Amino acid sequence: MRKAVVLAIALALSWAMTAVTAPAHAAPDGYLWWPANGVVSGACGESRPTHTHAGVDIARTPSTPVHASYDGTVAWRPVDPGGYGNYLDVVHPGGWSTRYAHLAESPTSPLVPNGATVTRGQLIGHTAVNGSSTGLHVHFEIRRNGVMQCPANAGRGTSITGLTPTSISIGAPSTPEAVANGGGVHVTGPNSYTDVSSTGQVYAWNGGYHGGSPTGYSGRFVDAKVTSNGGGYWLLSSAGQVYAYGNAPYRGGSPTGYQQEIVAMAAMPDDQGYVMMSAGGQVYAYGSAAYRGGSPTGYAGRFVDVEMTPDGGGYWLLTSAGQVYAYGNAQYLGGSPTGFSRAVVAMSPTRDGQGYVMVSKAGQVYAYGNAPYLGGSPGGVTGEISDVSYRTDGTHGYVMVSTTGGHYAYGTPWLGNPTGTAAIF
């Protein structure tokens, strides 16, 4: 019994170390990677007594880390006691998917939650013995539109090195990476911020909770804005519905005729109005907010964020390619960075509006104007970075949040991570 406990502790420690050190990179080249180290104990396409083996069994003892073969969305499947055991799929673009079976984790006890976005090389589980399995291995399956795809040179006895390319390419992405906005993070003071999940749950750090979790909305929650004194906030749904709490007044919403979906909002400094923006760059103004322009042409990707100038006289629109469009008295201070590995998802201006930062899904930060670069590209992120918020007290600093609620603070206090939800932030 004591040996079993020691082994369990050692295994847990090895898992924890792997979770920190495992590399994860966006996949611009299109190649699927091998998910684990080991030796092929079962080849793809070989005949079995009752079926044709649809995947590659990669065996190794002790339990081995399993990584995502390519960028995609996690889809946990019901436990299959007589076959796959505990297994999940990662769904990729173009009808491709990869399957990882006989995992130690399960749908009710996952390492990565159902619906999470993962990056090629990200740790998603560990090998175990369950389902139709007589020894430690991961059953790795590749399918395109449901049809089995067998990688070359993976016969029985072949040594596999994890996190190296297989012979299969699903094609390099030809269109900008998709972005699904969540409610995000919003700095409310020198030592406080508020999170909003894609289901409208509100988490206030160091005070400032005024309500949340509304019902009857359409789509998901994609943004929020806090009033100037922190006494209230607005929540915005992807259908343009606005929910006002505390001292935040409702000034209108639910526009019609927009393209794609509503993705972001920005509030006036007098708290008496706001603008919202669609993924197509259309802008809708309410209350004291004036329409300054929108619907630009020639952009790449889709629009992901809108931010207001300090006096409310203008605003910036941001695309997932990092392009910035300035309207009214908003100054164009730079944009369209190069070298980022994931789509740009959010921006946030300095208090005086003379600078701003933008952030990618990988947490890469690009600073413009008087906004200094204070850090970015954090390691060990579960999911992906979804939002960034600049300090509001004139001190330089910002905090970013991941889709699973992890906070990464630079030049500003780290206050904790929310629990009880796997929704996108």
Side-chain angles (χ1 to χ4, degrees):
M1 182 69 175
R2 183 173 296 173
K3 289 182 178 178
V5 171
V6 171
L7 178 60
I9 292 173
L11 185 59
L13 287 173
S14 70
W15 287 7
M17 291 176 65
T18 302
V20 171
T21 59
H25 307 286
D29 58 9
Y31 276 93
L32 300 179
W33 281 3
W34 290 111
N37 294 324
V39 175
V40 176
S41 59
C44 180
E46 68 182 14
S47 179
R48 299 286 176 88
T50 59
H51 65 283
T52 298
H53 193 232
V56 178
D57 292 340
I58 306 172
R60 187 180 182 185
T61 57
S63 181
T64 302
V66 178
H67 302 86
S69 180
Y70 199 80
D71 302 354
T73 302
V74 171
W76 275 98
R77 305 305 185 190
V79 175
D80 178 15
Y84 291 116
N86 298 333
Y87 72 109
L88 64 83
D89 292 344
V90 177
V91 180
H92 313 295
W96 291 88
S97 66
T98 48
R99 177 162 292 179
Y100 312 80
H102 314 309
L103 298 177
E105 295 77 11
S106 69
T108 57
S109 182
L111 182 63
V112 287
N114 189 57
T117 301
V118 293
T119 303
R120 183 173 68 179
Q122 182 174 331
L123 182 69
I124 58 175
H126 299 82
T127 56
V129 179
N130 51 55
S132 180
S133 172
T134 58
L136 279 169
H137 72 272
V138 60
H139 172 92
F140 175 55
E141 205 167 292
I142 302 171
R143 291 184 178 271
R144 185 178 191 184
N145 297 321
V147 178
M148 174 181 72
Q149 307 288 319
C150 291
N153 304 318
R156 281 179 176 263
T158 302
S159 293
I160 298 296
T161 301
L163 306 182
T164 63
T166 71
S167 62
I168 293 181
S169 172
I170 70 175
S174 59
T175 58
E177 186 181 20
V179 175
N181 293 54
V185 62
H186 310 276
V187 171
T188 57
N191 194 38
S192 60
Y193 46 75
T194 296
D195 298 319
V196 179
S197 78
S198 59
T199 56
Q201 298 161 296
V202 175
Y203 299 84
W205 303 88
N206 282 354
Y209 178 78
H210 305 290
S213 301
T215 59
Y217 61 89
S218 299
R220 68 187 186 284
F221 285 92
V222 293
D223 203 4
K225 282 296 179 286
V226 179
T227 58
S228 56
N229 67 358
Y233 41 74
W234 301 269
L235 310 186
L236 176 71
S237 81
S238 57
Q241 299 156 300
V242 175
Y243 296 82
Y245 296 90
N247 67 353
Y250 175 79
R251 297 303 184 196
S254 302
T256 59
Y258 54 86
Q259 301 166 5
Q260 302 178 62
E261 64 178 1
I262 300 297
V263 294
M265 72 184 306
M268 290 290 289
D270 64 3
D271 299 328
Q272 298 304 307
Y274 41 78
V275 297
M276 63 180 69
M277 180 191 68
S278 76
Q282 298 157 296
V283 175
Y284 300 86
Y286 299 90
S288 62
Y291 176 78
R292 308 288 183 182
S295 302
T297 59
Y299 61 89
R302 75 176 210 156
F303 285 90
V304 293
D305 204 2
V306 57
E307 294 293 338
M308 189 75 70
T309 57
D311 65 357
Y315 43 75
W316 299 272
L317 311 186
L318 175 71
T319 76
S320 57
Q323 298 159 299
V324 175
Y325 294 83
Y327 295 92
N329 66 356
Q331 298 182 61
Y332 175 79
L333 302 168
S336 302
T338 59
F340 56 90
S341 61
R342 305 294 305 276
V344 172
V345 291
M347 71 183 301
S348 189
T350 58
R351 183 180 180 180
D352 61 7
Q354 299 302 303
Y356 44 73
V357 295
M358 63 178 70
V359 65
S360 76
K361 286 185 177 184
Q364 297 156 298
V365 174
Y366 299 88
Y368 299 92
N370 68 354
Y373 174 80
L374 300 173
S377 302
V381 176
T382 302
E384 59 194 32
I385 299 300
S386 63
D387 199 9
V388 64
S389 184
Y390 214 91
R391 290 182 65 143
T392 59
D393 61 351
T395 300
H396 291 298
Y398 44 83
V399 61
M400 61 180 75
V401 68
S402 75
T403 52
T404 56
H407 292 119
Y408 302 87
Y410 301 89
T412 195
W414 181 88
L415 303 175
N417 296 333
T419 57
T421 180
I424 296 173
F425 281 84

